[in-house]
Amino acid sequence: MSQTVQKAEEAKKSSVTAAKPYPFYLGGLAASFAGSITHPLDLTKVRLQTSEDKKMIQSFRRTISNYGIRGLYDGLTGTLLRQMTYSLMRFAAYDHFKSQLHQGPGPPPVWKLAVAGSCAGGLAGMFGNPAELIMVRMQADRGKPPADRYNYRNAIQGLYAMAKQEGVTSWYRGLVPNGVRSVLMNASQLGSYDWFKHTILDFKMFQDGPIVHFLASLGAGTVATTVCSPADVIKSRVMNAHDNASVLKVIRDSVAKEGPGVFFKGWLPAWIRLQPNTILIFLTLEQLKKGVDRYRRAGGTLL
């Protein structure tokens, strides 16, 4: 009798856990952890997109030769600020839109995942644009001639300097390409991760766990890198421009000078950077969610 009661209580706790949303900030925490580890790759990707460096290894060597290992962590405060604004918003909004779009049994269809990701990306792109801008400027700074550098000490000081020197509206420079990239990224990364995860589980070869999360992340990272590359290149160049060039001017000048392939410049470092970043984000996020589940089943009420 006691075992029956115990199982009933566990089932009740499990249903309550499943019905209650996860804390909205889990995605931001997972992304901050992943971003800290993959920051050198992200920094190299931005410098390839905004400088004359042609190869990833060449850019790595130049940074280490000139500034040491610490040079690979230029702009880290910008990355952390970005993750706790942009990434926090995109994961929280994605879960909300997904739950609103699909309330029936079974996993959501792929089009609903894409719509939820697109809506979340649009909101996150606007909310996180100032941090995205500061991050790009700080990462690209040492790849430019000394006279063209911004020399921000950290992300907060950079935002203050921008507001003082260029006006608060400067925080939203590059909003259009950043917003487009954000929509594409979240539709392709978040939506494809859920699709890959559901598809792998449907084969019943693996149980829901780290192997499934790893494989789904691998697929999501590849899809997201390819879909987002053109918008990512344009965004980085617009945000890093000193002459307030328009998006169309940046596109025309880039194509005229480097050809259509410019839109996939930095694809390899972007993929190499995004793959571990995507894997770390989703593996960490899944573990954080399981930790919250265990805490709730144990009777915890704070999360």
Side-chain angles (χ1 to χ4, degrees):
M1 182 67 179
S2 60
Q3 290 183 347
T4 303
V5 173
Q6 184 178 1
K7 289 182 178 180
E9 290 179 351
E10 289 178 355
K12 183 178 179 181
K13 288 181 180 178
S14 179
S15 64
V16 170
T17 297
K20 186 177 179 181
Y22 290 105
F24 71 94
Y25 50 81
L26 292 187
L29 292 177
S32 295
F33 172 73
S36 298
I37 294 176
T38 61
H39 181 81
L41 294 170
D42 196 31
L43 176 118
T44 302
K45 179 204 71 171
V46 169
R47 289 187 178 170
L48 280 171
Q49 292 174 340
T50 59
S51 72
E52 295 180 355
D53 288 348
K54 301 297 183 182
K55 298 180 179 180
M56 182 180 66
I57 301 301
Q58 176 191 19
S59 184
F60 258 107
R61 286 177 175 173
R62 177 178 295 184
T63 299
I64 295 174
S65 175
N66 292 335
Y67 307 106
I69 296 295
R70 291 184 61 181
L72 294 174
Y73 291 89
D74 284 346
L76 180 60
T77 58
T79 292
L80 294 177
L81 181 62
R82 175 186 183 265
Q83 303 303 350
M84 290 307 294
T85 52
Y86 164 75
S87 290
L88 186 151
M89 174 62 77
R90 74 187 182 111
F91 279 102
Y94 177 69
D95 287 340
H96 172 74
F97 285 122
K98 186 169 64 173
S99 66
Q100 294 299 310
L101 286 170
H102 186 76
Q103 299 178 351
V110 67
W111 72 266
K112 288 185 178 180
L113 297 176
V115 170
S118 298
C119 293
L123 283 176
M126 291 186 290
F127 185 68
N129 199 79
E132 183 88 22
L133 179 54
I134 284 294
M135 182 191 74
V136 169
R137 286 190 174 187
M138 292 179 72
Q139 289 179 347
D141 223 25
R142 284 185 173 175
K144 298 182 295 186
D148 294 334
R149 295 176 186 174
Y150 295 103
N151 295 317
Y152 299 138
R153 294 193 300 273
N154 55 63
I156 302 301
Q157 184 270 332
L159 286 174
Y160 174 77
M162 282 186 64
K164 185 177 180 179
Q165 297 167 9
E166 306 172 51
V168 175
T169 55
S170 65
W171 289 357
Y172 291 92
R173 176 168 169 74
L175 178 61
V176 172
N178 187 43
V180 171
R181 176 193 175 276
S182 183
V183 169
L184 294 174
M185 170 62 74
N186 288 281
S188 58
Q189 187 190 56
L190 300 184
S192 66
Y193 174 80
D194 277 344
W195 183 84
F196 278 117
K197 180 180 175 181
H198 295 319
T199 301
I200 293 169
L201 290 173
D202 283 344
F203 282 109
K204 302 186 184 303
M205 294 178 61
F206 306 103
Q207 293 183 341
D208 189 5
I211 294 178
V212 172
H213 305 155
F214 174 82
L215 293 175
S217 301
L218 198 65
T222 301
V223 171
T225 302
T226 305
V227 170
C228 296
S229 183
D232 200 25
V233 170
I234 295 168
K235 177 213 70 173
S236 293
R237 294 192 172 202
V238 168
M239 287 183 167
N240 197 48
H242 271 278
D243 58 358
N244 293 320
S246 67
V247 174
L248 290 177
K249 185 177 186 302
V250 168
I251 293 174
R252 284 198 305 267
D253 291 349
S254 297
V255 172
K257 186 176 181 180
E258 303 173 64
V262 68
F263 296 123
F264 293 93
K265 187 178 181 183
W267 186 93
L268 181 59
W271 183 81
I272 292 174
R273 170 256 171 190
L274 190 62
Q275 283 294 17
N277 183 267
T278 301
I279 291 167
L280 284 170
I281 285 178
F282 285 112
L283 286 177
T284 303
L285 182 59
E286 295 280 9
Q287 292 306 307
L288 288 174
K289 287 181 176 180
K290 287 186 177 182
V292 171
D293 289 341
R294 288 193 294 269
Y295 172 76
R296 290 174 177 175
R297 285 196 294 269
T301 58
L302 297 178
L303 298 177

